[in-house]
């Protein structure tokens, strides 16, 4: 099932296809052990399980894969804001970035499938909220949004250097549904 699945499969999906009473975690652990020394490994990603090329072989095989589209700095900043602050509106993205966010940046992120329209705020104007997708988690090798690095990890990687402004913090990433957000209704494209 895992080999044939187009996306990572969760334990509940696997259990639904196996005989009742099957110990799915034990089976997954056994599969992971059996494939640990092979060219592919069983990994937990985007809330499910999938086979991926073994890390030691990935550089040799990467040449055949199409080169992913490069994101502009604005699109990368927007993606980071969406990931750490979701659900977030366009106005909130602009406030955090300190500049106007072009429609192209969000369109590109929606096109890549890393960002999705989540819902609408329960505030005047009912602005659309954005959040990340399972494709985002899968691409970046994350099991959940909470696996994004925190401030200490970002400093350790050298991504944040120098003196930080007083009160600067990296939000604790979460995928939390907010009390002031309604899900999009069917047919709502977020353009109204």
């Amino acid at each position: 099932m895992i080999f044939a699945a187009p996306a990572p499969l969760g334990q509940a999906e696997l259990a639904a296809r196996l005989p009742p009473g099957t110990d799915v975690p034990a089976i997954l652990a056994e599969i992971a052990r059996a494939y640990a020394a092979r060219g592919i490994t069983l990994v937990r990603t985007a809330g499910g399980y999938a086979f991926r090329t073994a890390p030691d072989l990935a550089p040799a095989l990467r040449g055949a894969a199409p080169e992913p589209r490069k994101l502009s700095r604005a699109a990368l900043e927007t993606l980071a804001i969406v990931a750490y602050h979701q659900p977030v509106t366009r106005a909130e993205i602009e406030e955090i970035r300190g500049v106007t966010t072009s429609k192209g940046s969000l369109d590109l992120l929606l096109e890549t499938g890393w960002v999705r329209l989540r819902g609408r705020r329960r505030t005047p104007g009912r602005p659309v909220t954005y959040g990340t997708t399972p494709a985002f988690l899968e691409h970046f090798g994350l099991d959940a949004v909470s696996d994004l690095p925190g401030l200490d990890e970002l400093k350790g990687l050298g991504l944040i250097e120098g003196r930080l402004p007083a009160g600067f913090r990296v939000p604790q990433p979460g995928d939390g549904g907010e009390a002031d957000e309604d899900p999009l209704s069917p047919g709502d494209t977020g353009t109204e």
Side-chain angles (χ1 to χ4, degrees):
M1 288 184 285
I2 296 172
F3 272 119
L9 290 175
Q11 285 189 26
E13 294 170 288
L14 292 167
R17 297 178 183 175
L18 294 171
T22 302
D23 187 357
V24 176
I27 290 173
L28 290 168
E30 179 58 32
I31 291 171
R33 275 191 299 279
Y35 281 90
R38 298 183 182 184
I40 59 172
T41 58
L42 183 67
V43 297
R44 182 164 170 81
T45 183
Y49 293 86
F51 283 105
R52 295 290 184 259
T53 303
D56 59 326
L57 296 176
L61 299 175
R62 195 162 284 132
E67 187 64 30
R69 188 174 189 178
K70 298 274 188 211
L71 296 179
S72 67
R73 180 179 175 150
L76 283 172
E77 289 174 0
T78 302
L79 179 61
I81 291 166
V82 171
Y84 279 92
H85 294 271
Q86 63 185 304
V88 64
T89 65
R90 179 190 194 98
E92 292 166 342
I93 293 168
E94 291 174 350
E95 182 181 334
I96 293 166
R97 285 191 68 222
V99 296
T100 301
T101 300
S102 75
K103 186 171 182 335
S105 293
L106 278 168
D107 286 345
L108 176 62
L109 295 172
L110 289 164
E111 185 180 305
T112 62
W114 293 346
V115 169
R116 67 181 174 92
L117 301 174
R118 280 182 57 122
R120 289 191 177 272
R121 284 268 195 253
R122 292 182 190 145
T123 59
R126 309 263 307 140
V128 171
T129 57
Y130 298 91
T132 56
T133 66
F136 165 82
L137 297 174
E138 191 172 348
H139 180 82
F140 290 99
L142 302 169
D143 185 36
V145 175
S146 60
D147 293 337
L148 285 166
L151 181 59
D152 291 338
E153 292 169 295
L154 292 171
K155 283 181 182 177
L157 292 169
L159 298 174
I160 296 179
E161 298 175 355
R163 292 183 51 131
L164 299 174
F168 179 85
R169 67 179 189 83
V170 173
Q172 192 63 30
D175 192 26
E178 297 295 318
D180 66 345
E181 179 188 39
D182 290 324
L184 288 177
S185 57
D188 187 350
T189 61
T191 57
E192 292 125 31

